């Protein structure tokens, strides 16, 4: 039933490890996003995919690699995790296609990543 | 350049007080969209309202109201007769074509409503 679901909800790992966060939406939306929310609650966009094509790639370390196997899924893989990667990562989707109107974002419940 | 400023970091009110959360935005586009989202203590992000740049009509939804003024580039949010359940972080956000249709968020305003 959940519109945008991401797993896991919590992720605790050691520095240097590689981890993935998965996201799936069942809303039929064209566009999916990853946002990072730091400890001060600041929300910053990382990536956006439209129909499996990367359309937004903010200044994010290349240790972060998004992958979209189809338009309903957008996963985030992080290599060589660092302490500063600790944050809440939100997946989102919207029905907006390129050049279309800017619709609201539907967010997943977030993944709390803690790097020790 | 796109920018959203929420100058109020934290606001604390007593239940039943009215409270206004300020939002000032910057954009070079004539077509843009403004949003408010709520993040309660449980952590999820909840959409509240979307407004396009051509619609300056104010909106009221129950105890919530929004005042959009292009002349001052502001999109303020008022909660009337606040309740403890309104305690949350509230984000104002902007999306325009210059920014590649990405939605950028203000820093958020944390609202505490005390019983």
């Amino acid at each position: 039933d959940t519109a945008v679901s991401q797993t896991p909800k919590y992720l605790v790992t050691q520095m240097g490890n590689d981890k993935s966060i998965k996201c799936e939406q069942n809303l039929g939306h064209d566009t999916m996003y990853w946002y990072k929310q730091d400890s001060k609650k600041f929300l910053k966009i990382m990536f956006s995919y439209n129909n499996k094509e990367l359309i937004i790639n903010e200044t994010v370390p290349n240790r972060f690699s998004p992958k979209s196997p189809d338009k309903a899924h957008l996963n985030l893989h992080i290599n060589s995790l660092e302490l500063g990667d600790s944050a809440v990562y939100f997946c989102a989707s919207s029905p907006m296609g390129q050049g279309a109107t800017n619709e609201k974002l539907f967010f997943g419940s977030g993944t709390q990543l803690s790097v020790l | 350049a796109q920018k959203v400023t929420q100058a109020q970091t934290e606001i604390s009110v007593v239940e039943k007080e009215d409270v206004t959360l300020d939002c000032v935005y910057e954009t070079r586009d004539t077509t843009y969209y403004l949003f408010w989202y709520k993040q309660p203590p449980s952590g999820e992000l909840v959409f509240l309202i979307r407004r396009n740049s051509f619609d300056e009509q104010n909106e009221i939804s129950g105890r919530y109201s929004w005042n959009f003024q292009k002349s001052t580039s502001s999109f303020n949010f008022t909660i009337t007769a606040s309740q403890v359940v309104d305690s949350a972080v509230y984000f104002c956000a902007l999306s325009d074509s210059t920014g590649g249709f990405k939605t950028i968020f203000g820093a958020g305003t944390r609202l505490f409503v005390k019983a």
Side-chain angles (χ1 to χ4, degrees):
Chain A
D1 243 348
T2 307
V4 181
S5 59
Q6 52 182 110
T7 55
K9 188 165 176 62
Y10 299 98
L11 188 51
V12 181
T13 188
Q14 299 286 334
M15 258 190 347
N17 284 350
D18 303 338
K19 290 293 178 186
S20 292
I21 307 172
K22 295 187 175 181
C23 180
E24 175 182 4
Q25 55 97 1
N26 61 7
L27 298 166
H29 289 167
D30 300 314
T31 310
M32 296 184 72
Y33 310 79
W34 279 110
Y35 278 82
K36 177 180 179 181
Q37 185 173 46
D38 63 24
S39 58
K40 294 182 180 178
K41 297 290 190 182
F42 189 66
L43 268 165
K44 185 169 167 48
I45 189 167
M46 300 173 70
F47 303 103
S48 174
Y49 272 73
N50 178 260
N51 281 319
K52 301 194 297 177
E53 187 179 329
L54 181 67
I55 56 171
I56 295 173
N57 185 350
E58 291 295 284
T59 309
V60 176
N62 57 16
R63 298 182 295 103
F64 290 78
S65 52
K67 284 191 170 48
S68 182
D70 55 61
K71 77 171 193 176
H73 295 84
L74 179 61
N75 303 323
L76 183 65
H77 187 76
I78 316 169
N79 288 329
S80 303
L81 278 155
E82 300 177 357
L83 293 176
D85 298 332
S86 295
V88 180
Y89 292 84
F90 284 97
C91 177
S93 73
S94 76
M96 181 185 72
Q98 294 255 23
T101 58
N102 301 39
E103 301 295 334
K104 69 180 184 183
L105 296 171
F106 292 75
F107 283 92
S109 56
T111 295
Q112 172 115 39
L113 171 64
S114 299
V115 183
L116 308 177
Chain B
Q2 287 178 305
K3 189 175 179 182
V4 177
T5 302
Q6 294 180 257
Q8 304 150 307
T9 307
E10 285 186 4
I11 300 175
S12 185
V13 299
V14 177
E15 222 175 6
K16 297 183 185 171
E17 280 186 27
D18 298 347
V19 58
T20 295
L21 309 182
D22 297 334
C23 173
V24 174
Y25 62 92
E26 289 177 33
T27 174
R28 291 189 195 135
D29 271 1
T30 53
T31 303
Y32 52 90
Y33 298 81
L34 296 162
F35 306 82
W36 277 93
Y37 289 84
K38 174 182 179 179
Q39 188 173 38
S42 52
E44 74 270 25
L45 284 153
V46 179
F47 166 80
L48 295 177
I49 190 171
R50 167 183 174 264
R51 172 68 74 224
N52 76 55
S53 53
F54 299 108
D55 181 5
E56 279 193 81
Q57 195 169 7
N58 291 332
E59 180 152 342
I60 298 174
S61 175
R63 295 184 299 105
Y64 294 172
S65 62
W66 290 270
N67 183 308
F68 176 27
Q69 294 204 348
K70 287 175 78 169
S71 59
T72 55
S73 296
S74 65
F75 186 42
N76 296 338
F77 173 30
T78 297
I79 302 174
T80 303
S82 59
Q83 299 176 1
V84 172
V85 293
D86 296 327
S87 297
V89 181
Y90 291 87
F91 294 95
C92 181
L94 165 71
S95 181
D96 64 22
S97 59
T98 304
F101 294 105
K102 66 186 176 189
T103 303
I104 65 159
F105 287 78
T109 297
R110 187 183 293 271
L111 175 65
F112 294 98
V113 182
K114 296 177 285 190

